[in-house]
Amino acid sequence: MTLRRMTRFAPAAIAAVFFISPIVAHAQDEWHTSYSLMAESKYGQDFKHYDYVNPDAPKGGTLNSVVQGTFDSFNPYIVRGTPAAGFAPFGGGLIYEMLMEQSVDEPSVSHPLIAEAFKYPDDYSSATYRLNPAAKWHDGQPVTTDDVIWSFQVLKANSPYYSRYYENVTEAVAVGDNQVEFRFDQKGNRELPKIIGDMIVLPKHWWEGTDAKGKKRDVTQPTLEPPLGSGPYKIASFRPGQEIIWERVKDYWGQNVPVNVGRNNFDKRRYTYILDSNAAFQAFTKGGLEDIEVEMSARDWMTKYKFPALDAGDVIKKEFKATASANFQGFVLNTRRPLFADRNVRKALTLAYDFETLNRTMSFGLNKRVSSYFVGGDLASSGLPEGKELEILSQYKDQLPPEVFTEPFTLPVYAEPKDERANLQAAVKAFGDAGWHIKNGRMTNDKTGQAFEYEILSANEASEATINYYISSLRKIGVTARLRLVDPTQYLNRINNFDFDSIIMPLSQSDSPGNEQRDFWSSKVADVPGSRNYSGIKNPVIDALVDRVIFATDRDDLVAATRALDRALLWNYYVVPQFTRDTQWLAVWNKFGIPDKQPTYVGADIDSWWIDVDKEKVLASKYRSQN
């Protein structure tokens, strides 16, 4: 898979989007610069800048953002600590650069950054990256092959994400001036040479040095010492847990690298921490603390935006369509808990979810139901398996639910009032098949007498109404579910350690999945803190299908293998599917210059916006006087 660029506007994002596809034939010693796994990039080899940016965008102003929670670390690549806004656990965030940058307007395209080119042999057994000699750290020292090799070793040893991402990369060695060769323990993993480019590079000399007090730094531990970086921003000031301000690096070495032309235009980026989401929204309506509100709730998008600044035109609502594959969102059921170990129990909880009524009454019909982990495109399973997909699944026929081969996977439909009764009766029957029956109004285990009770963990107050509606549906069949709202820091710690019964989790997939599927579903990481196998899946068939996806030989083979994986996941009911949406909703203070075109592939690229400093001054004066 190839990492779709994690926007620097969303430092709190903990999920990445991935892509893979057949690699075109090439000469073994051919160096690739702007390179696509699917076909040639639309920019060719003469890439100057993205076609949607304003290459002469002015620099200046401050982008203000509110973040919920707190922070206690500037080291995002370890499990311990809560990283500050601007850092990213996968990707460079504001401060570090990757070897190559994933395009924001094309799938599966890489453009040069710290590395100016890469190559790989025909058997995909290694990859060699050639560094840009202009790449420098903020202290003026060059980025070296030693930095790259050391970074690979540190990330592989300490980062929950990179350790699985590069599981099959055994070593990195210098093979010439400004060249590093990454060696693999497998052949035929077609995307692995490409995704090496997604590795961030850390400054070895800084991390192996000492701080102002003479204490040796330790990259395996949290720290609040502002680190040395190579990216477009550095930390200007901070108040632990309350605020962090980043400033643009005026002599940033990469400002004329094509992926950066016309981007990174804000002189400062200020993040203010607020614990309560309602207070955060109120801060947005008043101005000065939050310039761009990213809205995730359909109900709130339609009803909540009524305040003086919007009525005056000082805040505007904008919608951006994204053509990249949509997110899958659902209630993850933690199968590490004995309560969810039985597939019939998980099926029953799925049957009790009433999407149609929720969408109609609370979401204005704006959400779309999802019935696949690979929403959109040609990877979603449907109907009955056939052809190559059937051949793949038939190898595991005795280990899969029999319905895989006899029934199309469908989700319950609550289109009419009578449907509720039918679906809830089916849910009660599924509970019965698992040894649970309603006694005295409560779903009770036949053997132990235990009542079926569990907790849905969330850090999002906006989700309370929709979760509570689901809870009320479960109550009708004797199931007691409770919503527990916690602060974002506690939430992150608990999901990292799988300390939950159920959570709502969006999953970003792509039209070409690959190595990241191991981190989502494989047995090997089910009990590894920080992995994204939130369901705790330990299923040898799922493991085998994941590898089948990774080692697909061509696009047809990849489609068949992915559909097979999708079908196996669905029929095991690890997640209660909810909904998806292909539109981004942003409410924006009217102080920005925005290119006429935005990359329809990802929607909005905030990094291509700039600030009209005159408008910024007027708004600051107007709303400061009112507060």
Side-chain angles (χ1 to χ4, degrees):
M1 71 182 162
T2 301
L3 173 66
R4 192 177 77 189
R5 182 177 184 273
M6 290 183 67
T7 173
R8 290 187 170 111
F9 176 68
I14 58 175
V17 182
F18 301 96
F19 297 85
I20 174 185
S21 62
I23 295 178
V24 296
H26 73 289
Q28 180 161 326
D29 292 327
E30 179 182 352
W31 288 99
H32 304 281
T33 54
S34 288
Y35 184 73
S36 172
L37 291 175
M38 289 185 174
E40 285 298 316
S41 167
K42 65 180 180 180
Y43 299 107
Q45 297 300 307
D46 192 30
F47 177 41
K48 301 297 185 185
H49 57 74
Y50 289 119
D51 60 14
Y52 64 86
V53 304
N54 173 7
D56 299 315
K59 309 291 186 183
T62 298
L63 174 62
N64 299 291
S65 301
V66 164
V67 184
Q68 279 188 254
T70 185
F71 70 89
D72 59 12
S73 178
F74 295 154
N75 184 357
Y77 304 113
I78 57 176
V79 175
R80 289 185 57 205
T82 301
F87 292 93
F90 198 95
L94 296 174
I95 190 169
Y96 301 118
E97 294 295 21
M98 296 183 289
L99 289 172
M100 300 188 81
E101 181 92 336
Q102 297 305 308
S103 175
V104 294
D105 67 345
E106 295 179 280
S108 298
V109 173
S110 291
H111 296 302
L113 200 49
I114 282 180
E116 61 184 8
F118 81 105
K119 64 181 180 179
Y120 56 91
D122 290 332
D123 62 1
Y124 312 110
S125 60
S126 67
T128 302
Y129 278 75
R130 188 177 72 217
L131 306 189
N132 185 337
K136 288 181 172 57
W137 300 105
H138 293 158
D139 64 0
Q141 293 198 36
V143 178
T144 68
T145 56
D146 281 348
D147 291 318
V148 175
I149 294 168
W150 184 82
S151 299
F152 166 74
Q153 294 168 346
V154 165
L155 293 170
K156 189 84 183 288
N158 297 284
S159 166
Y161 296 119
Y162 284 101
S163 62
R164 262 94 65 186
Y165 201 41
Y166 297 142
E167 179 179 341
N168 299 118
V169 186
T170 56
E171 62 178 337
V173 295
V175 293
D177 291 342
N178 276 5
Q179 294 181 30
V180 178
E181 181 180 277
F182 297 86
R183 295 167 181 169
F184 313 149
D185 63 5
Q186 295 174 320
K187 298 178 181 180
N189 190 331
R190 298 172 303 112
E191 68 164 355
L192 196 50
K194 170 72 160 51
I195 66 172
I196 292 296
D198 300 333
M199 193 184 86
I200 56 105
V201 182
L202 301 170
K204 178 183 178 182
H205 70 283
W206 188 87
W207 279 104
E208 291 193 338
T210 57
D211 62 19
K213 296 180 180 179
K215 182 180 179 181
K216 185 173 175 57
R217 299 184 180 101
D218 186 350
V219 74
T220 70
Q221 299 298 318
T223 181
L224 281 175
E225 180 187 9
L228 179 69
S230 63
Y233 289 88
K234 63 182 179 180
I235 296 173
S237 64
F238 68 97
R239 288 180 291 149
Q242 300 178 59
E243 179 187 76
I244 182 168
I245 298 175
W246 297 80
E247 62 182 357
R248 188 168 57 83
V249 177
K250 299 299 192 295
D251 59 350
Y252 167 49
W253 72 271
Q255 60 188 348
N256 294 319
V257 173
V259 294
N260 291 320
V261 173
R263 305 175 76 219
N264 304 312
N265 301 314
F266 311 118
D267 269 357
K268 290 187 177 180
R269 304 182 70 147
R270 180 177 65 149
Y271 296 92
T272 303
Y273 280 78
I274 295 179
L275 292 176
D276 179 75
S277 63
N278 291 324
F281 183 74
Q282 289 304 311
F284 168 70
T285 67
K286 300 297 183 182
L289 288 180
E290 175 83 274
D291 294 332
I292 302 173
E293 179 79 0
V294 181
E295 185 55 67
M296 304 302 295
S297 166
R299 183 182 61 170
D300 287 349
W301 183 246
M302 298 298 291
T303 64
K304 192 167 70 171
Y305 289 81
K306 298 176 182 178
F307 49 91
L310 190 140
D311 295 337
D314 293 326
V315 171
I316 53 178
K317 294 172 71 176
K318 302 184 74 67
E319 297 187 3
F320 297 90
K321 286 283 188 180
T323 59
S325 296
N327 286 349
F328 172 98
Q329 179 171 300
F331 291 98
V332 174
L333 304 175
N334 187 353
T335 62
R336 302 171 189 84
R337 302 283 205 254
L339 200 64
F340 302 114
D342 192 302
R343 184 179 77 97
N344 284 304
V345 165
R346 304 193 298 269
K347 177 181 178 180
L349 296 175
T350 301
L351 288 166
Y353 181 70
D354 179 356
F355 166 77
E356 285 74 20
T357 303
L358 272 168
N359 195 36
R360 183 179 68 253
T361 61
M362 295 190 182
S363 299
F364 294 83
L366 296 176
N367 293 329
K368 299 177 182 178
R369 190 71 192 271
V370 291
S371 57
S372 169
Y373 286 83
F374 302 89
V375 184
D378 58 353
L379 295 173
S381 60
S382 62
L384 291 173
E386 58 184 21
K388 185 176 289 187
E389 181 194 355
L390 179 58
E391 292 178 17
I392 294 170
L393 290 169
S394 294
Q395 300 175 53
Y396 313 102
K397 190 167 187 176
D398 295 339
Q399 300 168 266
L400 287 165
E403 301 97 319
V404 167
F405 301 93
T406 60
E407 300 177 29
F409 181 83
T410 58
L411 291 168
V413 176
Y414 286 74
E416 301 177 14
K418 66 179 182 179
D419 294 331
E420 180 183 44
R421 180 177 178 83
N423 287 319
L424 293 183
Q425 284 179 336
V428 170
K429 181 183 183 303
F431 266 119
D433 293 338
W436 296 79
H437 291 89
I438 299 176
K439 297 178 182 178
N440 299 319
R442 306 185 73 184
M443 189 63 68
T444 305
N445 187 275
D446 295 340
K447 294 181 179 179
T448 66
Q450 173 191 5
F452 199 100
E453 300 181 358
Y454 74 101
E455 181 181 272
I456 300 173
L457 185 71
S458 177
N460 182 9
E461 294 177 8
S463 66
E464 186 171 359
T466 56
I467 293 175
N468 282 334
Y469 185 88
Y470 180 45
I471 288 174
S472 69
S473 294
L474 293 171
R475 191 179 300 120
K476 294 175 182 179
I477 57 174
V479 172
T480 300
R482 299 181 181 89
L483 169 62
R484 181 173 178 81
L485 286 169
V486 297
D487 65 75
T489 299
Q490 184 179 354
Y491 181 79
L492 185 61
N493 288 335
R494 288 187 62 173
I495 67 170
N496 278 341
N497 290 288
F498 314 121
D499 181 19
F500 61 86
D501 296 331
S502 179
I503 56 173
I504 294 178
M505 184 58 65
L507 173 64
S508 297
Q509 287 281 12
S510 79
D511 59 357
S512 298
N515 288 266
E516 82 290 350
Q517 301 301 309
R518 288 173 175 156
D519 198 37
F520 296 155
W521 323 118
S522 74
S523 304
K524 186 179 294 185
V525 302
D527 296 320
V528 176
S531 89
R532 288 170 288 177
N533 184 350
Y534 298 114
S535 295
I537 299 171
K538 294 181 180 179
N539 186 321
V541 174
I542 300 295
D543 293 338
L545 292 175
V546 165
D547 279 346
R548 189 70 174 74
V549 168
I550 292 171
F551 290 95
T553 57
D554 54 34
R555 180 67 189 182
D556 289 343
D557 197 38
L558 177 66
V559 169
T562 305
R563 288 178 178 175
L565 174 61
D566 186 34
R567 203 179 297 270
L569 290 168
L570 289 168
W571 276 110
N572 276 289
Y573 295 102
Y574 296 117
V575 174
V576 178
Q578 292 180 294
F579 56 83
T580 189
R581 191 185 307 125
D582 60 2
T583 302
Q584 297 175 353
W585 294 325
L586 303 181
V588 180
W589 279 87
N590 193 13
K591 59 185 262 187
F592 295 97
I594 303 176
D596 293 335
K597 183 174 70 169
Q598 285 285 270
T600 55
Y601 179 61
V602 298
D605 175 20
I606 308 300
D607 289 333
S608 70
W609 298 12
W610 63 91
I611 288 175
D612 184 320
V613 292
D614 292 330
K615 286 184 178 180
E616 184 178 51
K617 290 177 182 177
V618 170
L619 289 174
S621 175
K622 180 177 180 180
Y623 288 93
R624 185 183 302 118
S625 64
Q626 295 180 10
N627 291 341

